[in-house]
Amino acid sequence: MPGALEFLTVDHFSSPMSVIALNIFTNHTLDINVRWLAVLYFKHGIDRYWRRVAPHALSEEEKSTLRAGLITNFNEPINQIATQIAVLIAKVARLDCPRQWPELIPTLVESVKVQDDLRQHRALLTFYHVTKTLASKRLAADRKLFYDLASGIYNFACSLWNHHTDTFLQHVSSGNEAAVLSSLERTLLSLKVLRKLTVNGFVEPHKNMEVMGFLHGIFERLKQFLECSRSIGTDNVCRDRLEKTIILFTKVLLDFLDQHPISFTPLIQRSLEFSVSYVFTEVGEGVTFERFIVQCMNLIKMIVKNYAYKPSKNFEDSSPETLEAHKIKMAFFTYPTLTEICRRLVSHYFLLTEEELTMWEEDPEGFTVEETGGDSWKYSLRPCTEVLFIDIFHEYNQTLTPVLLEMMQTLEGPTNVEDMNALLIKDAVYNAVGLAAFELFDSVDFDQWFKTQLLPELQVSHNRYKPLRRRVIWLIGQWISVKFKSDLRPMLYEAICNLLQDQDLVVRIETATTLKLTVDDFEFRTDQFLPYLETMFTLLFQLLQQVTECDTKMHVLHVLSCVIERVNVQIRPYVGCLVQYLPLLWKQSEEHNMLRCAILTTLIHLVQGLGADSKNLYPFLLPVIQLSTDVSQPPHVYLLEDGLELWLVTLENSPCVTPELLRIFQNMSPLLELSSENLRTCFKIINGYIFLSSTEFLQTYAAGLCQSFYELLPEITTEGQVQVLKVVENALKVNPVLGPQMFQRILPCVFRGVIEGERYPVVMSIYLAVMGRVLLQNTSFFSSLLNEMGHEFNQEMDQLLGNVIEMWVDRMDNITQPERKKLSALALLSLLPSDNSVIQDKFCGIINISVEALHDVMTEDPETRTYKDCMLMSQHEEPKVTEDEEPPTEQDKRKKMLALKDPVHTVSLQQFIYEKLKAQQEILGEQGFQSLMETVDTEIVTQLQEFLQGF
C-alpha cells in the first residue's frame, strides 16, 4: 500500500489520517508491522484528539464514522493487534459510552453469541476491556451509568460464563487439548468480565440474587477446576491458563470481600471451610499449587482481620451485620480448628524446604536476600504463612498460646545433629515463637530460656546445626525489644562475637542483623558494649569485605553505621580499616547507586564519630560530596539527599576551612535554583560555611549567594523566607562589618518589610532581628541604608527613622525568643543619648521595649533580691554533657566562641539601660530628662526602677 506509513509523520490526528489508520490496521493483507504501527497511532490519537475540548479535536460526525468502523467485525487474526484494538475501543468507550455510543454494548453482546470461534473470542476480548475501563471510572454519574449497565447485562454475563465453563469441562473429559485451550480462554475472559461487574457494578450486591448465586457457585467451580489439574499436564500452556483461571476465582472473592465486606457475610462460612480444607487438610494434596495456597491464606487473613467483622467493646454499639459476621467467625474458629491451623502452619509451612536448603548451600547471599524481603518475597508462600500466623495468633492468642508453649516444651534440650527433620521442626517452632514475641510476653520467661536453652544451642558448632544457630540468633533479635534483661547483654555480645566468626555465611549475616536490633534498642548501654566493640567492628568489616551481592553489602554497611552512630567518638581507634576500604567500595559501586547511598550513610556516621579527625578523610570525602551534590551529574537523583547531609556534617565537624572544602560550594547555586525539599539542608550548609570561615567564604561567594537569595525570596514559602533571612542574620552576627556589605541587596527588602508592616509574625520577627543587628553593630551602614530608603519612600531620614521605631514598637509582640527581644532593646537603646526630636518623641516606646525585654531576660536572686541578666555568658562556662548526649561538634564550639563576642550575651541589658539613661540625662539636664520620663507610663517607670536597683 503506497504511502501507508506517511500518516505517522502528521502532527495531529485529523479525520483523513484517522480513517487511513483504521483502514490500515483492519486490512489483513498488509504487513503486520505496518498494521501494528497504525493501531498504536490510532490508540494514542484517542488520548490526544478525541475529547471535544482538545486542540484539533475530531468532529462528532468524524467520531461517529470511526466508532462504526471499529465494531464492524471482530475478526482480527493476530493476537497482539486484536488486544490493541480491544484496548482502543475501550478508550473510546470510556469517553463516549453509553451516551454517544449506545450501540456498543448490544453489538458486543450479540457478537459473543456467534458460532465463529475467532469472532467470538475477539468480541469477548473487547467486551472484557470495555467492562474493565468503564468499571474504573469514579465520578458519581459514571458510577450510576455502570450500575445500570451491570444490572442490564449481568444475567447474560453469568449465562455466558457458565456456558464456556461447561464447554471447557466437557472438552477436558474428551482429552482434545486444542479444544480445551480454546474453551478455557473464553472461560477466563468471561470470568474477567464477571469479576468487574460483580465487584464494581452494584451498591448492595447482597440484595441481588444473581450476584450471590454466582459467588456461592464459585466454590463448586473451583473444586471442578482443581480436579481438572490432575488430568492436565504440569508443563504446558493449558496448565498455565488453568492456574490463571483458578487464581482469578480467588481474586473475585478477595476483591468482593475488600469492596463489600458486609455483603460478603453470607460467604464467610463457605470461604473459610473451603480455604482451610484445601490449605490445612489432605483435601488439597495433589491439586493445590503455591499461588493458590497464598490466595486462600489471604482470604482467611482478610476475614480474620476485617474491621467490619469486629464488634465494639460494647456489643450494643455494634451493627447487627457486624455481630452476625463475628458470630460466624467464632463458630468456625473453634479450639480444634485453630489448633490444627497453628500446628499445620508451624510443622508444615514453616519448615525450610529442600529448595531453600539447596539455595542456602549454593547461594547463601541470595538466600538471605530472599528471607529478608527480596523482589519476589511478597509474592512467595513463606511470608504469607508468617503473616497469617501472626494475624491468627494475635486474634486468638488465648487459645493458641498454650498450643505454642506445648510445642516449645517438647523441644527442650539439645537436638541430635543427625536428625535433620527434628532440627527443621525446632527451627519452625522457634520461628513461631519469634513471630509471636509480643503476644507471648507474659507467658515466656525469656531471660531464663535464653540462659538455659538458647545460649547452649548457639554454642553447638556442628555444620548440620547451622539452621538452628541462625534461627536462635534471629529469635533473640525478635525478643530484644520485647523482654530481655539488660544484665544479660554482655552474654549476648559474647555470643554475637562468636557467631560473627561462624563458618556459615548465612549465620554471620543473620547475626549482624540481630546486632543492629540490639544496638538500636532503647535499653542499649554503651558501657556494656565497649569491651566487645573492637572485635565486633573488625568482624563486621571482614564480613563486608567477604560478601559480594550489592544488597548484602548495603545491609552490612547499615549495621556498621548503626554501631558507629551509637558509640560515636568511641569508634575512633577502630575505623582505620573501614576508612581505607570505603574508597575502593565506592569505585566498585559505580553502577549501584543504592549501594553508594549506603556508603554515604556510613560516611555521615563516620564523620560524626571522628569529629575534627574527619579532616584526614577529605581526599576521599570531598570528591564524594562533590559528585553527590552536582545536579549536572546523573547519579545526583539517587545521592543528593544523603550527599547534602554528608556535606553538612563534614562542615559541622571541620576544624578549619580548606581550599577544596570551599571550592565544592560551587555546587550550591544550582541547588538553590531547584527549590526542592532539600532547601532546608542547603541553608544549614550555607550557615555552616559562615560559622566556619565567614570572611573568606563571604568574599568568595557572597555576591552570587546574595543574587540567588534575591531571586529566591519572592518564590518560596514563608518558612523558606525565614531560612534565607536566618543566613543573613548569621552573616551579620559573625561579621558585622563585611556582612551588611555582602548582603546589601537583601537589606532594603528587610527595611521595606518593616516599614510596610509584614503581616506574617514569624517573618517580621526575623526582619527586626536583621535590622537590630545592623543598627547595633554597624551604625554607619544603618545610616547609609536609612538614607537610601529615604529616597525610595520620598521621606526625610528622621521621619523614616521615626516610622521604623514606631513599627518596631508596635510589632514587638511578634518576637517570641528572649535573645531577639534583648537584641531589639539593645538596638533601639543604641540610638540614645540623642537630642534628635524624632528619637525623643519615640522615647516612650523604646523604654517600653526595654522593660519588656528586662522581664524576659532578668532572673531574681532570692537571697540578695537583686536581678541578673540570664543571657550573659562567661568565657569559663563549659556546657555540661551527660553520658546520653553527644559531645559538642566543632561548629558547636564555634557558635560558643561567637556568642562570647555577641552583645546579646556579653552586654548586661540592665547596665546598658542605666548607662543610656544617664547619658541622656546629661544631655538634657535634670528637668529636661524628667519631662522625657513623664512620657512613659508610671507603671513601666516603677518596673524599670525596680530592675535598676543598686545602680
Side-chain angles (χ1 to χ4, degrees):
M1 184 176 180
L5 293 179
E6 289 179 5
F7 69 90
L8 292 175
T9 63
V10 177
D11 289 336
H12 63 270
F13 191 67
S14 65
S15 177
M17 293 302 103
S18 57
V19 173
I20 291 173
L22 177 64
N23 290 336
I24 290 174
F25 70 71
T26 55
N27 186 343
H28 303 162
T29 63
L30 293 176
D31 180 76
I32 292 174
N33 293 321
V34 174
R35 296 174 59 227
W36 173 258
L37 289 173
V39 75
L40 290 181
Y41 174 79
F42 195 105
K43 187 176 78 169
H44 295 314
I46 294 168
D47 293 328
R48 297 180 64 184
Y49 306 114
W50 202 272
R51 294 182 186 275
R52 284 176 296 175
V53 295
H56 311 295
L58 296 173
S59 68
E60 290 303 316
E61 293 77 13
E62 292 166 341
K63 288 191 283 188
S64 178
T65 302
L66 293 172
R67 286 194 295 260
L70 288 172
I71 56 173
T72 300
N73 51 60
F74 297 95
N75 60 351
E76 174 54 55
I78 308 299
N79 287 332
Q80 293 91 332
I81 295 178
T83 300
Q84 290 301 321
I85 293 173
V87 170
L88 70 85
I89 290 174
K91 280 179 173 287
V92 175
R94 184 180 182 87
L95 300 171
D96 291 356
C97 183
R99 292 187 177 92
Q100 286 79 37
W101 205 2
E103 67 272 18
L104 173 62
I105 300 299
T107 301
L108 290 172
V109 169
E110 289 303 315
S111 297
V112 297
K113 296 177 183 177
V114 300
Q115 296 303 310
D116 181 273
D117 283 352
L118 181 63
R119 288 192 63 198
Q120 186 186 71
H121 179 273
R122 297 321 190 212
L124 195 51
L125 178 66
T126 306
F127 194 20
Y128 161 61
H129 280 285
V130 168
T131 308
K132 176 183 176 183
T133 299
L134 295 179
S136 69
K137 299 179 78 173
R138 288 291 171 261
L139 293 178
D142 295 326
R143 303 296 311 136
K144 176 66 169 60
L145 288 173
F146 190 71
Y147 295 151
D148 294 340
L149 170 66
S151 298
I153 66 172
Y154 196 84
N155 187 38
F156 168 75
C158 280
S159 301
L160 186 68
W161 170 68
N162 276 314
H163 166 72
H164 289 305
T165 302
D166 291 337
T167 303
F168 161 72
L169 294 172
Q170 292 167 9
H171 287 316
V172 169
S173 303
S174 67
N176 185 336
E177 188 170 323
V180 167
L181 184 58
S182 176
S183 57
L184 184 55
E185 184 69 31
R186 286 158 177 73
T187 301
L188 185 59
L189 284 172
S190 56
L191 183 57
K192 285 181 177 182
V193 172
L194 262 182
R195 177 191 177 193
K196 293 300 176 184
L197 294 175
T198 303
V199 175
N200 303 107
F202 300 90
V203 179
E204 296 178 308
H206 59 284
K207 295 181 179 179
N208 187 299
M209 291 180 59
E210 291 174 345
V211 172
M212 299 312 291
F214 162 66
L215 290 168
H216 280 290
I218 282 181
F219 301 102
E220 193 58 42
R221 289 301 196 186
L222 264 171
K223 289 179 182 179
Q224 293 173 336
F225 275 68
L226 286 165
E227 284 303 315
C228 287
S229 64
R230 297 184 189 275
S231 55
I232 293 179
T234 58
D235 191 24
N236 58 30
V237 178
C238 275
R239 178 73 186 198
D240 178 65
R241 282 286 183 272
L242 178 63
E243 291 189 358
K244 281 187 176 180
T245 307
I246 291 171
I247 294 303
L248 189 58
F249 278 123
T250 63
K251 284 182 177 179
V252 174
L253 294 171
L254 287 166
D255 289 353
F256 191 78
L257 171 57
D258 181 58
Q259 295 295 316
H260 307 283
I262 296 301
S263 296
F264 193 86
T265 301
L267 300 164
I268 292 175
Q269 178 78 19
R270 193 74 188 277
S271 298
L272 290 173
E273 289 173 351
F274 178 87
S275 299
V276 170
S277 64
Y278 274 92
V279 175
F280 297 111
T281 72
E282 66 282 353
V283 172
E285 291 179 8
V287 295
T288 59
F289 51 96
E290 184 171 300
R291 185 82 189 279
F292 172 72
I293 294 172
V294 167
Q295 292 291 92
C296 287
M297 287 186 174
N298 284 336
L299 189 57
I300 298 170
K301 180 186 71 175
M302 284 182 67
I303 292 172
V304 168
K305 288 186 67 178
N306 204 301
Y307 285 107
Y309 304 155
K310 292 184 179 181
S312 305
K313 289 183 179 180
N314 185 359
F315 266 55
E316 294 176 359
D317 296 335
S318 304
S319 67
E321 294 84 2
T322 296
L323 293 176
E324 175 65 21
H326 179 68
K327 180 181 176 182
I328 296 170
K329 277 173 56 181
M330 296 304 292
F332 178 82
F333 285 112
T334 59
Y335 176 80
T337 301
L338 286 169
T339 302
E340 182 58 30
I341 290 174
C342 180
R343 291 187 182 280
R344 184 82 170 171
L345 280 170
V346 175
S347 63
H348 179 73
Y349 289 107
F350 279 13
L351 292 181
L352 288 170
T353 64
E354 283 294 328
E355 181 183 344
E356 288 171 324
L357 291 171
T358 301
M359 188 178 188
W360 184 327
E361 294 297 331
E362 296 177 355
D363 182 15
E365 289 187 56
F367 175 83
T368 58
V369 170
E370 284 292 313
E371 284 285 298
T372 54
D375 291 338
S376 61
W377 186 81
K378 63 182 177 181
Y379 303 110
S380 61
L381 183 57
R382 178 168 298 282
C384 184
T385 61
E386 292 178 351
V387 170
L388 178 61
F389 174 82
I390 292 169
D391 290 337
I392 288 184
F393 204 95
H394 174 74
E395 191 74 14
Y396 304 102
N397 63 82
Q398 291 185 342
T399 302
L400 294 177
T401 294
V403 178
L404 188 54
L405 291 177
E406 181 191 341
M407 297 172 78
M408 286 173 58
Q409 289 164 4
T410 61
L411 298 173
E412 288 182 354
T415 304
N416 185 354
V417 295
E418 301 301 326
D419 190 346
M420 195 62 188
N421 186 59
L423 291 173
L424 295 180
I425 288 288
K426 182 179 272 191
D427 173 86
V429 173
Y430 282 2
N431 187 15
V433 175
L435 294 173
F438 285 99
E439 308 297 336
L440 295 173
F441 179 86
D442 294 321
S443 304
V444 174
D445 184 351
F446 191 80
D447 296 332
Q448 183 64 24
W449 196 42
F450 169 76
K451 289 185 289 186
T452 60
Q453 176 76 19
L454 301 181
L455 204 54
E457 296 209 88
L458 289 177
Q459 294 163 356
V460 179
S461 59
H462 196 284
N463 184 54
R464 290 172 67 89
Y465 217 77
K466 64 187 181 186
L468 273 182
R469 290 198 299 277
R470 165 186 167 266
R471 180 59 68 191
V472 169
I473 198 63
W474 170 87
L475 171 63
I476 294 168
Q478 302 307 299
W479 276 83
I480 201 77
S481 61
V482 177
K483 193 178 187 180
F484 195 82
K485 195 177 293 184
S486 180
D487 295 345
L488 297 177
R489 296 286 176 118
M491 297 172 65
L492 174 59
Y493 295 147
E494 190 73 41
I496 287 175
C497 287
N498 292 331
L499 287 176
L500 284 173
Q501 302 173 70
D502 196 276
Q503 59 188 340
D504 184 78
L505 181 59
V506 173
V507 174
R508 295 202 297 279
I509 294 171
E510 193 64 66
T511 304
T513 305
T514 296
L515 174 58
K516 177 192 172 297
L517 294 171
T518 305
V519 299
D520 271 349
D521 184 53
F522 180 73
E523 295 187 6
F524 174 81
R525 282 170 43 192
T526 307
D527 61 310
Q528 289 181 321
F529 187 72
L530 287 179
Y532 308 94
L533 175 59
E534 181 177 8
T535 302
M536 285 193 190
F537 198 83
T538 302
L539 292 170
L540 283 171
F541 173 67
Q542 291 173 0
L543 180 60
L544 177 65
Q545 288 180 300
Q546 183 180 0
V547 297
T548 56
E549 293 291 329
C550 181
D551 286 337
T552 323
K553 281 190 178 290
M554 286 169 56
H555 178 61
V556 179
L557 268 175
H558 190 47
V559 178
L560 280 164
S561 295
C562 290
V563 171
I564 295 169
E565 183 180 16
R566 291 312 296 262
V567 301
N568 205 280
V569 297
Q570 307 278 3
I571 200 64
R572 292 178 184 177
Y574 315 117
V575 296
C577 54
L578 181 63
V579 167
Q580 292 175 6
Y581 176 66
L582 285 178
L584 174 62
L585 184 59
W586 180 265
K587 186 176 181 181
Q588 291 173 342
S589 61
E590 190 172 355
E591 302 299 321
H592 303 281
N593 287 309
M594 297 311 294
L595 177 53
R596 284 195 160 183
C597 287
I599 296 172
L600 289 172
T601 302
T602 304
L603 284 171
I604 289 168
H605 296 307
L606 204 52
V607 169
Q608 290 171 327
L610 289 173
D613 291 342
S614 61
K615 185 181 179 183
N616 298 326
L617 300 181
Y618 283 6
F620 166 56
L621 198 60
L622 300 186
V624 166
I625 296 172
Q626 166 71 37
L627 175 68
S628 304
T629 60
D630 184 351
V631 297
S632 67
Q633 298 292 329
H636 90 274
V637 175
Y638 304 94
L639 308 179
L640 181 58
E641 186 173 349
D642 293 317
L644 287 172
E645 190 65 31
L646 178 59
W647 192 355
L648 177 60
V649 299
T650 300
L651 286 169
E652 290 174 340
N653 290 277
S654 178
C656 60
V657 73
T658 67
E660 295 79 16
L661 184 57
L662 197 61
R663 193 177 302 124
I664 60 174
F665 192 80
Q666 294 170 359
N667 283 2
M668 183 56 69
S669 182
L671 288 168
L672 294 176
E673 291 174 13
L674 280 180
S675 296
S676 67
E677 64 276 5
N678 296 308
L679 264 182
R680 181 185 291 271
T681 309
C682 291
F683 292 136
K684 289 181 180 179
I685 289 168
I686 297 168
N687 283 323
Y689 275 103
I690 289 172
F691 291 129
L692 179 63
S693 178
S694 64
T695 303
E696 194 172 356
F697 171 70
L698 291 174
Q699 286 175 342
T700 308
Y701 292 110
L705 195 59
C706 184
Q707 179 64 28
S708 295
F709 282 178
Y710 186 77
E711 295 170 357
L712 198 61
L713 275 171
E715 306 295 330
I716 54 178
T717 63
T718 301
E719 184 184 357
Q721 292 174 13
V722 171
Q723 295 299 323
V724 168
L725 293 167
K726 278 183 179 178
V727 172
V728 177
E729 182 190 17
N730 285 328
L732 301 177
K733 188 189 300 184
V734 173
N735 202 321
V737 177
L738 190 59
Q741 298 172 16
M742 293 301 175
F743 289 101
Q744 58 185 340
R745 195 172 182 188
I746 300 294
L747 294 175
C749 300
V750 175
F751 203 106
R752 272 184 228 107
V754 173
I755 288 293
E756 294 167 1
E758 165 62 43
R759 63 194 181 101
Y760 291 108
V762 66
V763 178
M764 189 63 167
S765 174
I766 190 74
Y767 278 168
L768 295 175
V770 171
M771 187 83 82
R773 285 286 168 192
V774 178
L775 175 57
L776 180 63
Q777 295 182 267
N778 197 329
T779 309
S780 61
F781 189 89
F782 183 81
S783 297
S784 64
L785 179 62
L786 194 63
N787 183 47
E788 177 188 340
M789 299 310 294
H791 290 299
E792 180 177 319
F793 284 95
N794 196 26
Q795 293 182 20
E796 293 294 328
M797 285 179 60
D798 285 351
Q799 181 188 359
L800 188 60
L801 177 60
N803 292 338
V804 169
I805 297 172
E806 186 174 337
M807 185 60 72
W808 206 321
V809 173
D810 184 58
R811 299 296 292 274
M812 188 67 178
D813 288 344
N814 291 165
I815 303 175
T816 56
Q817 302 96 322
E819 292 90 341
R820 284 187 179 164
K821 285 192 174 184
K822 180 177 177 180
L823 174 64
S824 285
L826 291 172
L828 290 175
L829 284 166
S830 70
L831 296 170
L832 302 178
S834 173
D835 56 3
N836 187 307
S837 61
V838 172
I839 294 176
Q840 290 185 18
D841 187 49
K842 305 301 179 186
F843 179 80
C844 173
I846 295 173
I847 297 301
N848 286 346
I849 283 180
S850 301
V851 172
E852 184 179 340
L854 283 169
H855 278 291
D856 282 323
V857 304
M858 302 302 286
T859 55
E860 185 180 9
D861 187 329
E863 294 182 4
T864 62
R865 305 291 293 174
T866 58
Y867 289 93
K868 178 186 177 184
D869 190 334
C870 67
M871 292 282 114
L872 295 179
M873 291 179 63
S874 163
Q875 182 77 37
H876 306 292
E877 278 185 32
E878 286 297 331
K880 296 178 181 178
V881 180
T882 65
E883 184 180 334
D884 296 332
E885 290 179 327
E886 295 180 0
T889 65
E890 294 300 305
Q891 182 161 298
D892 291 332
K893 296 173 186 176
R894 287 190 283 272
K895 286 182 177 180
K896 170 74 183 301
M897 295 304 296
L898 176 61
L900 292 172
K901 300 176 184 177
D902 186 350
V904 173
H905 297 291
T906 57
V907 175
S908 166
L909 179 59
Q910 190 183 27
Q911 184 170 348
F912 195 69
I913 294 174
Y914 173 77
E915 290 174 353
K916 290 294 183 180
L917 291 178
K918 187 177 181 182
Q920 187 69 36
Q921 185 179 26
E922 290 174 357
I923 287 179
L924 298 179
E926 184 67 34
Q927 187 175 355
F929 180 71
Q930 189 61 39
S931 299
L932 195 61
M933 287 299 296
E934 287 175 357
T935 64
V936 183
D937 184 84
T938 55
E939 179 62 31
I940 299 296
V941 172
T942 302
Q943 294 174 23
L944 179 62
Q945 289 170 343
E946 187 178 344
F947 280 119
L948 296 182
Q949 283 180 3
F951 283 91

